[in-house]
Amino acid sequence: MCGIIGYTTRKNNSVEITLNGLKNLEYRGYDSSGIALFNGDKIDIIKSKGKISNLDEKLKQHDTTSCCSIAHTRWATHGEPNETNAHPHHVGKVTLVHNGIIENYATLKEELKAKGYKFQTETDTEVAAAYIDYCYSQTNDKLKALVEACKKFRGSYAFNVLFEDEPTTIYATRKDSPLVIGYSHDGNFAASDISAILNYTNKYSLINEGEFVKITRDIVTFYDKDLHQIEKKSETATWDAAQYQKNGYDHFMLKEIYEQPKVINDIFDRFYNNCSYKDIDLTKYEKIHIVACGSAMHASLVGKYLLQTYGKIPVMVEIASEYRYSEELITPSTLLIVVSQSGETADTLAALRLAKEKGAYVVGIVNAVGSTIAREVDKCIYTYAGPEIAVATTKGYTSQVAVFATLALIAMEEKGLLTDEMSKTIKEDLTNVEKNINSVLENREKYLDIAKDIYKHNDLFFIGRGIDSSVCMEGSLKLKEISYMHSESYSAGELKHGTISLIDKGTPVISIATDDKLFEKTVSNIKETKARGSYSIFVTTQNHGDDFSEFADKTILLPKTTDFTQPILTVVALQLIAYETAKLRGCDIDKPRNLAKSVTVE
Ligand code: G6P
């Protein structure tokens, strides 16, 4: 939620560079944006409602010569997304941008009002600026003012702060929201993530919780919470700027869909060649808890199916925002697996911290290298899917499913459940995965054809059984996120317990039947919807033949593989249906309304 960047340089192009960086953070929120720049020794603030391109236009009317600026792209939490509530916020000598939420802002606001402070906005961030200003007026020391103010703040924050009496210096700190420091030839950065600065440098350092940083164009100084200076080593980013380009695709989402064959193949390759997590003893635990949000939770449901069915280990999947308040579930003998593409999701992070506090062992399945979750878990399994820019996840999700497939294999090996014959079949399947995903990606026309059938409808149903039922949930979410069509995902057997009353003449139903032993059952459920007039889109595997005209208006045939890759093939088809539908509906596919990719608030 929200992206921030600050840059101080020996040149006078900080605005251009800050703004370019901000554009790479737009996935974090995009309802308004703003920039504060030192114009000599005074600070100018320019803000705009809507996407960063609006701010860009507005800046054309300003003199933007500046060697130090901070900027923000917002996902509104407090106050509607208008220009007044947009960041940066300025109070007294302090101007700042903030990613996070100050939960006790209302109390602090009253305290500050009593001291004579007046407020212009509805935001928690303006209160933070005022509190830092107040502390500065008391201490006359900028770092001490920050430390004192942060002691008062409850909630999460990453701040870039300017003091008007110290042009060209940025102060920064963080708690529960990400922030990295970047070092370039001409100056230094503080940004929400590395993508914002990769065009200028790949050298960076991570700021730990509760550390403070003073950034000038020549030197960056780090302090601990007691303001003792600390040394930091710089790291080199492995992702490069080219990965943040669309490379000829219409949308990042489409590009990322097409990256899946290689990403998934790489995961299985690493598993067979240099697996770094085969040492996790899954059999030691009576039950595994898997916790995540959104699509990562859907990937966890597929993981549960694989670990239970093949690894014979009981698994509980829980949404992180619920699990974080269920401490009675966690004991020192719990194995918790947290799953997160961004590695920053606030609820998932809170769940992991709670579990660690209770003595549980925590494994992370994470994409963003060096992210908070990756750093705090006992053992991190990286998916290495590369940067995912589109807000709706695709390769993030499938790479998590692929890692779960490997964990199920590890459990089977550990328990002696993997016969030579099974091992051979699964290995062959994992080796062919790139070819098989590519065959699902071929002939996009068929997905467009289905999209044309459904895009004018307002309601749609996904049904499936077993592993397909979890994949349906992800297919339904993809469609809702990017096309704004309402859809529901139901276990096929559950539909008749109420929901079937919504099926009417022409209601589209996408049904999935890839599991041979449940095929007939699912087909019966499809026929039940057909009898009520549904428009039936059927997704199944090639081994079941090719004539389903009795109950299907359209069919997608997938290669038949094992359960270790089948859900990946199925979801790729559903991703493309969602993509083509959203395109026909004229939606902003990469940046759907109201969403943000990285949810760093509760
Ligand atoms: C947001 C995104 C979803 C994502 C979820 C969890 O809601 O829009 O696409 O699945 O967060 O994110 P994570 O980074 O933890 O996987």
Side-chain angles (χ1 to χ4, degrees), residues 127-145:
V127 176
Y131 213 91
I132 296 170
D133 181 69
Y134 167 69
C135 293
Y136 185 42
S137 72
Q138 300 300 299
T139 57
N140 205 26
D141 180 308
K142 297 174 178 92
L143 282 164
K144 278 192 188 146

Side-chain angles (χ1 to χ4, degrees), residues 486-521:
H486 169 250
S487 78
E488 292 206 38
S489 160
Y490 260 81
S491 294
E494 184 65 13
L495 197 69
K496 60 171 84 64
H497 296 291
T499 314
I500 201 161
S501 65
L502 297 170
I503 308 283
D504 206 350
K505 195 165 170 10
T507 308
V509 175
I510 299 184
S511 40
I512 304 178
T514 69
D515 184 335
D516 294 349
K517 59 187 183 307
L518 297 171
F519 183 83
E520 292 302 336
K521 306 256 177 232

Side-chain angles (χ1 to χ4, degrees), residues 338-358:
V338 289
V339 189
S340 175
Q341 188 285 127
S342 65
E344 301 293 348
T345 302
D347 286 317
T348 312
L349 182 59
L352 119 72
R353 285 180 178 166
L354 175 70
K356 284 193 76 175
E357 231 176 82
K358 306 281 275 173

